Structures are given as structure tokens and as C-alpha cells.
């Protein structure tokens, strides 16, 4: 198996694993992922779009959905460029994000428990290394 095949299989399995186990009532999977990645200090819509790997128009619809649930709010940045729109979680959104983090932590513990004790630290190191490599490629906008 080569890197492409492994990455593809891992991507499909991780997405399935998360879709089945990380659910927020009334939220789509995409909304759930957006909730998970919006930082406390907020994020620019364009940065959120890049982070999620979605078009800006798709992210706008996604955030409108979160606003309707009162989980997020968009604000223009008056001090800098009026065209820059920031997204922030509301207090209700922060509670949902905290619920998500708890569910993600439980999934991590489940994977840890299922991993051979001798291999745990090595596996975690390899996963962080893979994450770092993919993050660097994303920053460089490497597109095949």
C-alpha cells in the first residue's frame, strides 16, 4: 500500500468514525465540524473556509445555519477592513463546542484502549508527524 492509498482509507474511515460518534442534535456533520474548529477568539470567514476546505459561499451558508441555531455570530471588522467578516461562537455555541470536545476525547480514549500498550506512544508520535506533514502541505497550498 502506498501513501495515497493509506491516506484515502484513513480519510474515509475517520470520516465514518466521526459521523457515527460525533453528533450534535439538530446539526449537520459540516456544522458540527465548523463548531469544533472555530476558536474562542473567532476566525475570519476566509480562514474558516480554508480550514474546512470548502468554498466561501458554502461556509457562508453553513454559518447562517449556525446563526439560526444561535450558536455563532458574524461580525464585520470595523477597525481594519470593513470587508473582513469574523465568526464567533455564542455562549450556546461554546457549550456545544465543549460537548464536542468531550466526545472527541472519549473517542481518543477508545482508540488508545484498543491500541497495544507497547505501540501507543509510537503510534501517537507517528500520527502527530503525519498531521504536521499534511498541515505543512496545506500551508503551502500543495494541490495535486
Amino acid at each position: 500500500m502506498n501513501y495515497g492509498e493509506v491516506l484515502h482509507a484513513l480519510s474515509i474511515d475517520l470520516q465514518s468514525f466521526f459521523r457515527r460518534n460525533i453528533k450534535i442534535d439538530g446539526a449537520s456533520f459540516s456544522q458540527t465540524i465548523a463548531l469544533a474548529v472555530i476558536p474562542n477568539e473567532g476566525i475570519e470567514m476566509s480562514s474558516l473556509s480554508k480550514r474546512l476546505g470548502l468554498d466561501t459561499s458554502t461556509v457562508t451558508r453553513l454559518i447562517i445555519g449556525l446563526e439560526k441555531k444561535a450558536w455563532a455570530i458574524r461580525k464585520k471588522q470595523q477597525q481594519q477592513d470593513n470587508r473582513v467578516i469574523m465568526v464567533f461562537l455564542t455562549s450556546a455555541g461554546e457549550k456545544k463546542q465543549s460537548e464536542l470536545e468531550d466526545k472527541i476525547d472519549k473517542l481518543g480514549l477508545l482508540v488508545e484502549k484498543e491500541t497495544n500498550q507497547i505501540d501507543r506512544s509510537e503510534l501517537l508520535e507517528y500520527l502527530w508527524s503525519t498531521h504536521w506533514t499534511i498541515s505543512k502541505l496545506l500551508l503551502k497550498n500543495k494541490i495535486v
Side-chain angles (χ1 to χ4, degrees), residues 45 55-67 74:
M45 286 285 287
D55 291 333
T56 306
S57 60
T58 303
V59 173
T60 299
R61 287 190 302 275
L62 187 70
I63 296 304
I64 289 171
L66 292 177
E67 286 178 320
R74 289 175 290 167

Side-chain angles (χ1 to χ4, degrees), residues 32-40 42-43 48 51-52 89 97 100:
T32 301
I33 297 302
L35 273 174
V37 301
I38 297 173
N40 290 339
I43 187 169
L48 182 59
R51 179 83 168 97
L52 296 174
L89 293 179
Q97 187 181 63
L100 282 172

Side-chain angles (χ1 to χ4, degrees), residues 21-56:
N21 294 286
I22 307 295
K23 296 178 184 177
I24 297 291
D25 286 338
S28 69
F29 183 68
S30 295
Q31 289 173 333
T32 301
I33 297 302
L35 273 174
V37 301
I38 297 173
N40 290 339
E41 65 275 5
I43 187 169
E44 289 183 14
M45 286 285 287
S46 59
S47 296
L48 182 59
S49 175
K50 287 179 185 173
R51 179 83 168 97
L52 296 174
L54 299 171
D55 291 333
T56 306

